[in-house]
Amino acid sequence: MTSDLSRRRLLFGGAAVSAGVLLAGCTSNEQSPTEAQTKAAANNANTEPGKKVTIGFSAPAADHGWIAAITNNAKAQAGAYGDVELKSVEAGADAAAQRAALSTLISQKPDVIVLLPHDGKELNAFGLEAMKAGIPVVNLDRAFPDPKAYRLQIKGDNYGMGVAAATYIAEQLKAKGVSNPVIGEIPGIESLELTQERSKGFADTLASYGLKVANRRPAEFTVDSGQQAATGLFQALPKIDAVWNHDDDQGIGVLAAVNQANRKEFFMVGGAGSKKAMEDIAADNTVLKATVTYSPSMASSAISLARLIGQGKGMSDLVELQVPKEIVLSSETITKQNSGDYLKLGF
């Protein structure tokens, strides 16, 4: 645990990370995507070589693990197709810099642009500009508010993460016969919309079981902040039955606090689906018993769908002739029983 913790700290560098970069993140253990994260569908007519498609791509700098996995997955997936050329542009430090870089991309007239914006609201105007120029935009993860600003939006289900975590916790407590359970929550950055959506899904679902959160201690998606938040939670609650920690990377710090305080009377659910979390769940030797997914494999899917849009094709299993307008990925619950199935998707 000590060496892993140190590595994570190095990855985050101790520096302040912009809110845009932090929006979804987890620190990757992997230097390159697994085959499962990028593999093109087999025995599918859509995978046959077709019209050459140039895809412009932009995502914030990979100084955070989840973002690194997004960019690595996109590049690897593009490389899986002989008829795709990927043109990447640097996203810069903020939305303004990304907007400037993307303007040069429009002038190169790619067939499709795949974009993970620093901030969906601030890049909405770019989406409108590109669409007006006849270039379909695939909005990845951070939604544009105007539907006319994108051809396709693909993202994870933040509210659904909360629903999945609360459902697992409530069912486990019910099975154990725990009455009046004490439930803790360690969200990510409190001010972010995604954090608020996750917490709302968690609270709404707990309420449907007659349960509620006893104490919340927000962290900042980093190892150190996770450890600090967990320490505060333990001080506030002398006894705990269950905890939902929103992010597997800050969960490294939470587990460090668990060991430091020797607080192992509860079970914990994580968030995102890092490889390290899945390995811990499979080993069953920590309080972490499950995690709910928010996978960066969505970048691989975004590239595949951008290719289909560029080729004027639909999805092979759908009746419709075109790719859908919006795709929201389900948040799935990974436990000891199914961790072996999901490990290939860990990052």
Side-chain angles (χ1 to χ4, degrees):
M1 175 65 73
T2 301
S3 60
D4 199 351
L5 185 60
S6 300
R7 182 183 176 206
R8 298 286 177 141
R9 283 173 170 153
L10 284 172
L11 284 167
F12 283 100
V17 185
S18 72
V21 171
L22 287 167
L23 276 173
C26 291
T27 300
S28 174
N29 290 323
E30 302 303 303
Q31 297 301 313
S32 59
T34 66
E35 184 180 1
Q37 290 172 325
T38 59
K39 184 179 179 181
N43 301 319
N44 185 325
N46 278 341
T47 62
E48 295 296 323
K51 170 191 170 186
K52 182 176 180 180
V53 177
T54 300
I55 299 175
F57 177 77
S58 178
D63 55 357
H64 187 272
W66 192 88
I67 296 292
I70 284 283
T71 298
N72 290 339
N73 286 349
K75 290 181 177 179
Q77 186 68 19
Y81 297 111
D83 51 16
V84 169
E85 179 184 2
L86 191 71
K87 290 187 175 180
S88 298
V89 295
E90 298 295 332
D94 53 29
Q98 190 176 23
R99 173 74 186 272
L102 287 166
S103 294
T104 65
L105 193 57
I106 288 181
S107 68
Q108 297 176 34
K109 301 186 183 306
D111 296 298
V112 188
I113 291 175
V114 175
L115 169 64
L116 176 65
H118 273 287
D119 184 291
K121 293 179 181 177
E122 294 190 42
L123 269 295
N124 184 75
F126 165 76
L128 290 170
E129 179 185 355
M131 292 289 287
K132 187 176 181 180
I135 303 173
V137 174
V138 176
N139 174 253
L140 181 58
D141 187 47
R142 300 168 191 169
F144 294 144
D146 190 338
K148 296 189 295 297
Y150 59 87
R151 166 60 185 82
L152 165 65
Q153 180 174 280
I154 179 169
K155 62 181 183 177
D157 184 0
N158 287 299
Y159 185 88
M161 288 180 72
V163 172
T167 299
Y168 178 86
I169 286 174
E171 292 295 334
Q172 290 296 308
L173 292 170
K174 182 179 178 181
K176 296 174 185 292
V178 179
S179 58
N180 300 317
V182 178
I183 300 172
E185 181 182 2
I186 303 177
I189 297 175
E190 186 78 321
S191 62
L192 297 181
E193 185 176 357
L194 72 86
T195 295
Q196 296 160 12
E197 291 176 354
R198 291 176 185 183
S199 288
K200 186 172 187 342
F202 191 56
D204 288 350
T205 306
L206 286 180
S208 71
Y209 285 89
L211 304 176
K212 64 180 180 181
V213 174
N215 200 288
R216 296 175 80 252
R217 295 287 167 149
E220 297 180 348
F221 292 128
T222 65
V223 174
D224 287 342
S225 69
Q227 185 169 5
Q228 293 169 9
T231 299
L233 186 71
F234 298 156
Q235 291 171 347
L237 300 174
K239 178 183 177 299
I240 303 174
D241 294 293
V243 171
W244 181 35
N245 164 59
H246 288 208
D247 180 86
D248 287 335
D249 285 316
Q250 68 184 27
I252 297 292
V254 174
L255 290 176
V258 167
N259 291 329
Q260 187 176 39
N262 194 28
R263 292 290 298 270
K264 302 178 181 178
E265 78 276 11
F266 62 90
F267 66 92
M268 185 169 80
V269 177
S274 75
K275 184 177 179 182
K276 177 67 169 61
M278 293 186 206
E279 290 173 341
D280 284 345
I281 291 166
D284 195 19
N285 56 9
T286 73
V287 298
L288 182 63
K289 302 303 180 187
T291 190
V292 291
T293 61
Y294 196 94
S295 176
S297 62
M298 67 178 74
S300 307
S301 299
I303 293 296
S304 292
L305 295 171
R307 172 178 173 266
L308 293 181
I309 290 171
Q311 293 178 339
K313 296 178 179 177
M315 298 170 68
S316 60
D317 289 334
L318 298 185
V319 174
E320 288 73 20
L321 301 180
Q322 299 293 328
V323 171
K325 174 79 171 178
E326 296 191 359
I327 296 176
V328 180
L329 304 178
S330 174
S331 183
E332 300 162 43
T333 304
I334 301 172
T335 64
K336 180 181 179 181
Q337 286 69 36
N338 64 10
S339 58
D341 296 332
Y342 285 91
L343 191 59
K344 59 190 176 185
L345 292 175
F347 58 94

